[in-house]
Amino acid sequence: MTEHPCRALIVRAGLPLVMRHGTSVTTSMVARAAGVPAAAVFTAFPVQAALLEACAAEALRADEAVAAIAAVDLTQPLALRLASAALHLRSYAARALLLADAMPTSRPRRPEPEESDGRVRHEEELASLRSALTALIEPERERLRMPPEHLARVFQSMVLADTPTGPAETLPAEELVSLLLWGALAPP
């Protein structure tokens, strides 16, 4: 079965609406935002759940954040590179959290194989982010007390854990980086 030609356009246009309205988003809202007839939305996504799942998958894609992290200038000091990476990671995490907030807490259960596939895809996205962070840290390998891969995992966890789900304040990226690189204790 071939994919509907407007599917990607519909998902890109529908994602901000789904993040704002959750399951209250209508076909006509998405069609208007995408600039396509409502029939095109129905054809591409016969049920609303399919549109919501496609938007969720799009929100969890990390390719933009990975590309932005990969584009950070490796000649900059490590602290600046990591601060820049933190901003890109937070942007990714904020998008995913906004989507999670918009979706109902008790969604209908999907069959296990699809659910498992979604979890695997999400883990793959997180792994691609860790790989980009590892490449960002790699030039400092000889100066580090731990492998860049491990440091990337710790940094990713710190940044993602500090992404707010509401109006809470986050630590400035520079403070997170300082904590990672120099620790929490002041020198004796």
Side-chain angles (χ1 to χ4, degrees):
M1 186 172 158
T2 61
E3 191 171 286
H4 190 278
C6 295
R7 186 178 172 87
L9 172 68
I10 292 167
V11 170
R12 276 193 310 277
L15 180 57
L17 295 170
V18 170
M19 290 169 67
R20 190 174 315 120
H21 302 286
T23 56
S24 298
V25 72
T26 65
T27 301
S28 62
M29 291 165 67
V30 174
R32 200 170 328 142
V36 299
V41 177
F42 278 120
T43 304
F45 300 99
V47 294
Q48 184 192 38
L51 174 62
L52 296 175
E53 290 296 327
C55 287
E58 181 68 20
L60 294 177
R61 286 184 47 190
D63 52 341
E64 287 179 17
V66 168
I69 292 168
V72 172
D73 182 0
L74 294 179
T75 63
Q76 292 181 353
L78 180 59
L80 291 177
R81 284 182 268 159
L82 289 174
S84 179
L87 298 176
H88 299 301
L89 278 173
R90 279 185 173 154
S91 176
Y92 167 78
R95 185 177 67 224
L97 289 171
L98 280 171
L99 180 75
D101 286 347
M103 300 305 271
T105 54
S106 59
R107 294 193 312 204
R109 298 291 300 160
R110 295 180 299 170
E112 183 60 33
E114 289 178 22
E115 185 174 291
S116 177
D117 289 346
R119 223 175 319 184
V120 168
R121 279 193 309 270
H122 183 60
E123 284 301 318
E124 288 170 352
E125 298 295 337
L126 291 175
S128 68
L129 286 165
R130 273 193 307 278
S131 293
L133 290 170
T134 299
L136 198 65
I137 298 167
E138 182 63 40
E140 309 300 328
R141 180 179 284 277
E142 297 304 316
R143 297 178 51 212
L144 300 173
R145 292 186 306 138
M146 62 184 66
E149 300 81 9
H150 184 73
L151 194 60
R153 181 178 295 278
V154 170
F155 185 63
Q156 181 181 32
S157 296
M158 288 173 66
V159 173
L160 295 180
D162 192 49
T163 301
T165 57
E169 289 186 35
T170 61
L171 287 173
E174 294 77 14
E175 283 186 38
L176 275 177
V177 171
S178 177
L179 183 61
L180 176 77
L181 295 179
W182 315 118
L185 296 176

